[in-house]
């Protein structure tokens, strides 16, 4: 069984709007509710720690979801700081060798089949595992005016998704070392890679979208409302 850390302390600057995107309503409930439902309805996930912005006025105050514990903590200035804070809020029953998952609150369209495959990969790979999608489009490098400067090789390039799964002790150490080095890591795998480890990429669904801009919300709403 695993706990999941859910970074939900972001402001949604690229999205804009009055309230943080994780609290926008889709199909009748906040986006974060869909994310919690996808995670905590999975039989192998036993609880969640949500990293919230300080004095978050929107958090509904859930202390459990489908009978499973939901803990909260105060996140940090960067996503990695929020994940590090959530690690500290885990129960003592989660040992250094226990695999924990990290999943963006802003990715509500997560399927159990992806969680199943991620957990299997994390059990088989001590370096951890993460959902990812192979790059299938041609990649261009642009100048400041978005004029193409050329085409980048895309062989063996993947887009990192979440959840990402690592042993608690490894993740804690990796994040601490990145912070100590002043390196802002954009995902947990980056921190682990800095230690010379090679987490397993697990091909995940392309519709496991992160809501980043308003256009993403319309697509995610369609996906969540489509059975
Ligand atoms: N300091 C931060 C920044 C982000 N997040 C969370 O990390 C996830 C992915 O981050 P992103 O999509 O970048 O969300 P925001 O940081 O809110 O967006 P923006 O960068 O546009 O402000 C989101 O669930 C967000 O709430 C977090 O917990 N703590
Ligand atoms: C963790 C992540 O979702 C993997 O792609 C991504 O790095 C988050 O980036 P953001 O800029 O914090 O949204």
């Amino acid at each position: 069984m695993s706990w999941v850390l859910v970074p939900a302390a972001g402001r949604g600057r690229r999205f804009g709007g009055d309230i943080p995107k994780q609290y926008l309503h889709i199909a009748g409930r906040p986006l974060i509710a869909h994310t919690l439902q996808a995670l905590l309805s999975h039989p192998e996930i036993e609880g969640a720690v949500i990293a919230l912005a300080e004095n978050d006025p929107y958090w509904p105050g859930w202390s459990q979801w489908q009978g499973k514990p939901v803990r909260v903590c105060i996140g940090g200035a960067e996503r990695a700081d929020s994940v590090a804070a959530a690690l500290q809020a885990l129960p003592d029953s989660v040992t250094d060798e226990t695999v924990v998952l990290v999943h963006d609150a802003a990715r509500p369209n997560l399927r159990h089949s992806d969680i199943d495959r991620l957990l299997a990969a994390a059990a088989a790979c001590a370096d951890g595992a993460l959902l990812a999608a192979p790059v299938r489009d041609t990649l261009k490098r642009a100048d400041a005016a978005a004029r193409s400067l050329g085409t980048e090789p895309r062989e063996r390039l993947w887009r990192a998704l979440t959840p990402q799964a690592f042993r608690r002790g490894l993740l804690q150490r990796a994040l601490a070392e990145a912070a100590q080095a002043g390196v802002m890591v954009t995902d947990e795998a980056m921190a682990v890679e800095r230690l010379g480890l090679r987490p397993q990429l697990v091909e995940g669904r392309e519709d496991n979208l992160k809501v980043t801009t308003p256009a993403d919300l319309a697509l995610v709403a369609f996906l969540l409302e489509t059975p």
Side-chain angles (χ1 to χ4, degrees), residues 28-128:
R29 55 183 184 173
L31 185 151
I32 193 169
H34 291 279
T35 303
L36 288 179
Q37 177 63 27
L39 291 164
L40 293 172
S41 60
H42 191 283
E44 286 302 306
I45 295 181
E46 64 181 306
V49 178
I50 320 295
L52 300 173
E54 193 152 18
N55 304 318
D56 180 340
Y58 304 104
W59 171 247
W62 300 306
S63 59
Q64 59 86 29
W65 189 279
Q66 295 218 339
K68 296 180 179 177
V70 173
R71 295 182 168 206
V72 297
C73 70
I74 302 303
E78 303 297 338
R79 182 182 174 283
D81 303 319
S82 297
V83 174
L87 276 167
Q88 297 303 319
L90 283 166
D92 294 341
S93 58
V94 179
T95 69
D96 279 354
E97 291 310 304
T98 309
V99 170
V100 296
L101 276 64
V102 184
H103 183 61
D104 296 328
R107 290 184 190 269
N109 194 44
L110 175 65
R111 303 301 175 89
H112 283 186
S113 54
D114 273 6
I115 297 174
D116 294 340
R117 294 171 57 246
L118 177 70
L119 288 172
C125 180
D127 293 3

Side-chain angles (χ1 to χ4, degrees), residues 200-217:
Q200 179 64 57
L201 298 172
V202 178
E203 186 165 353
R205 292 172 60 107
E206 295 270 356
D207 61 4
N208 176 10
L209 299 176
K210 180 164 67 74
V211 174
T212 307
T213 66
D216 301 322
L217 187 72

Side-chain angles (χ1 to χ4, degrees), residues 104 107 130-133 159-164 187 204-206 208:
D104 296 328
R107 290 184 190 269
L130 64 147
L131 292 181
R159 294 184 297 110
L161 307 171
T162 68
Q164 306 194 3
D187 73 342
R205 292 172 60 107
E206 295 270 356
N208 176 10

